[in-house]
Amino acid sequence: MSKIKFAVLPGDGIGPEVMEVALNVLEVAADKFGFVCDYERADVGGIAIDRHGKALPDSTLKLCQESDAILFGSIGGPKWESLPAREQPERASLLPLRKAFSLFANIRPGLLYPELQEASPLKPDRIPHGIDIVCIRELTGGLYFGQPKHTETLPDGDVQAIDTMIYRKSEIERITDVAIATAQSRRNSICSVDKANVLETSVLWRKTVTDYLARKAPSIDLSHMYADNAAMQLARDPNQFDVILTENMFGDILSDEMAVICGSLGMLASASLGAGKNSQGLPFGLYEPAGGSAPDIAGKKLANPCAQILSAALMLRFSFGQNEAASAMEEAVQTAVKSGNRTADIAFAGEPVSTRKMGEAVMANLRG
Ligand code: NAD
């Protein structure tokens, strides 16, 4: 029987609560589809600061290095907010993990089931069949990492800050590859988002994406859009998109807009794929819910575990090639929601269910 080996980093707040549910669902999928889950838990984020003195302990990093994927919960909370910026849970663990594994491709499905239309701030007539799009964001280049990056006092006493936006053709091509694979598994359409009217990096981005698709995947329907227009179009008619492909900062902003129009953060998963291959010959990846540690509801049995379950499904698909099991988990979540099992964040009229009950409904559907 094949084995899937992954590191489990539950983190803080609701992280451990939703992680336990996702692991139970994974075990049911493993039973049904004939594989074995081999995982170990390790501390990350605030809890790691408390127990080990740093947000990403060496033992946690070592476990990740010995695994084929990371299933990540969420980190942070009020207890650690007064720490210096560089010691904050997110900055001191997620960013080093991205760097250690060259996690260059962030895949964020923007999925709103028609049954949850009410959760979206968009008018129902804009999304009669819900929302089903994907944002592919370049995650290790651009303005967030380019050098020089500093603040300086000028000879005249004024103060100036500098960030640098840099992209190489090779970086653009490798993220375009991810968009191509994603589009080919969906509606075969990519909208590349840039600001080629004002940015040099965007001119290179647009030319590289155009040339690369012409060579590698000419049958994909490719369009280009300026980032400001894309922000408007997402709110006006999100389903005009299939796959949005964009650089780091535009992706940061657009994927958060996508999360808002899709209703609850409790339903949205994400995958960050690395440049390297794991022992299965597939991309190493970090899989996590789009939301944070939700300290306002932590410990109250209110957290929606679906984002964590759907993140685990993405892990099965991308890092372990278990496509059938991944799709079955996704369908089990949708069926649970359709049949009225809803945590408080998505229960509009009926009685909300607890985190555990939501998980049980998903597992019952998965068992069939
Ligand atoms: P948040 O995403 O934690 O919460 C925003 C809102 O969404 C809250 O009302 C919360 O209750 C709700 N929510 C989020 N996930 C939910 C779920 N699964 N079920 C039901 N409701 C859910 O954002 P925030 O409040 O701005 O941040 C809280 C902490 O999380 C901060 O310390 C922040 O730095 C951290 N954070 C971590 C990550 C991460 O781990 N990658 C991402 C974002 C924020």
Side-chain angles (χ1 to χ4, degrees):
M1 204 179 273
S2 65
K3 205 186 250 191
I4 65 164
K5 188 170 164 59
F6 56 98
V8 172
L9 312 188
D12 308 313
I14 63 167
E17 303 168 31
V18 292
M19 184 64 84
E20 286 318 302
V21 173
L23 291 172
N24 289 339
V25 175
L26 268 175
E27 291 292 0
V28 173
D31 255 12
K32 182 165 177 172
F33 291 93
F35 58 90
V36 175
C37 292
D38 175 10
Y39 60 85
E40 221 177 285
R41 295 175 181 78
D43 293 329
V44 73
I47 193 169
I49 294 173
D50 291 353
R51 288 185 180 164
H52 311 264
K54 58 192 214 183
L56 181 63
D58 297 345
S59 52
T60 300
L61 183 59
K62 183 165 177 284
L63 174 70
C64 295
Q65 283 160 341
E66 291 166 355
S67 304
D68 284 329
I70 303 169
L71 188 57
F72 196 93
S74 47
I75 50 175
K79 186 173 175 195
W80 304 282
E81 268 164 20
S82 54
L83 289 173
R86 68 177 179 286
E87 291 170 31
Q88 292 277 329
E90 276 179 88
R91 181 152 164 196
S93 64
L94 261 178
L95 294 190
L97 276 173
R98 278 182 197 162
K99 196 165 172 210
F101 295 99
S102 304
L103 301 175
F104 72 94
N106 183 242
I107 303 176
R108 266 247 217 145
L111 189 61
L112 174 75
Y113 307 144
E115 297 78 14
L116 292 185
Q117 212 184 42
E118 250 183 284
S120 173
L122 298 190
K123 289 185 182 142
D125 64 338
R126 310 251 150 157
I127 44 169
H129 309 294
I131 299 173
D132 181 9
I133 56 181
V134 178
C135 181
I136 309 283
R137 165 187 169 196
E138 203 290 328
L139 204 55
T140 50
L143 205 50
Y144 295 178
F145 294 95
Q147 294 291 341
K149 186 182 196 64
H150 59 251
T151 304
E152 62 194 0
T153 303
L154 299 171
D156 67 0
D158 206 350
V159 179
Q160 83 176 4
I162 299 174
D163 293 293
T164 304
M165 192 158 185
I166 302 182
Y167 267 109
R168 289 179 178 213
K169 187 176 158 194
S170 53
E171 287 176 294
I172 302 168
E173 287 184 344
R174 75 175 175 175
I175 190 74
T176 305
D177 258 333
V178 177
I180 289 173
T182 309
Q184 285 171 337
S185 70
R186 294 172 47 89
R187 301 191 293 271
N188 218 35
S189 158
I190 295 176
C191 178
S192 173
V193 171
D194 61 39
K195 281 289 284 179
N197 48 345
V198 283
L199 295 175
E200 281 297 313
T201 44
S202 282
V203 172
L204 179 67
W205 183 279
R206 192 174 279 219
K207 179 173 174 6
T208 304
V209 171
T210 305
D211 293 350
Y212 198 71
L213 254 93
R215 267 191 290 131
K216 299 274 178 175
S219 68
I220 288 183
D221 173 26
L222 171 68
S223 58
H224 301 274
M225 197 178 274
Y226 295 138
D228 42 352
N229 187 24
M232 287 192 289
Q233 296 299 330
L234 260 179
R236 203 184 63 79
D237 175 18
N239 288 311
Q240 70 182 279
F241 300 106
D242 176 19
V243 174
I244 294 174
L245 164 64
T246 192
E247 62 86 52
N248 204 343
M249 182 177 61
F250 300 149
D252 190 2
I253 297 165
L254 293 177
S255 60
D256 268 17
E257 183 183 350
M258 211 173 76
V260 170
I261 61 171
C262 286
S264 175
L265 280 173
M267 294 300 299
L268 296 175
S270 86
S272 299
L273 304 187
K277 297 272 186 264
N278 63 20
S279 76
Q280 315 257 329
L282 291 165
F284 184 94
L286 182 148
Y287 301 86
E288 59 173 333
S293 59
D296 53 335
I297 57 166
K300 297 183 180 164
K301 303 182 178 153
L302 291 171
N304 185 343
C306 292
Q308 190 76 60
I309 298 169
L310 295 170
S311 301
L314 293 180
M315 176 180 80
L316 289 185
R317 177 170 296 124
F318 292 123
S319 285
F320 297 106
Q322 294 281 352
N323 295 332
E324 221 188 320
S327 300
M329 276 171 62
E330 288 163 350
E331 275 163 35
V333 169
Q334 182 163 10
T335 309
V337 169
K338 254 189 195 167
S339 56
N341 292 284
R342 309 216 178 140
T343 42
D345 55 315
I346 49 171
F348 312 111
E351 189 62 22
V353 301
S354 68
T355 306
R356 192 171 58 83
K357 283 258 183 270
M358 188 78 216
E360 282 167 4
V362 174
M363 283 187 277
N365 293 331
L366 190 55
R367 284 191 196 100

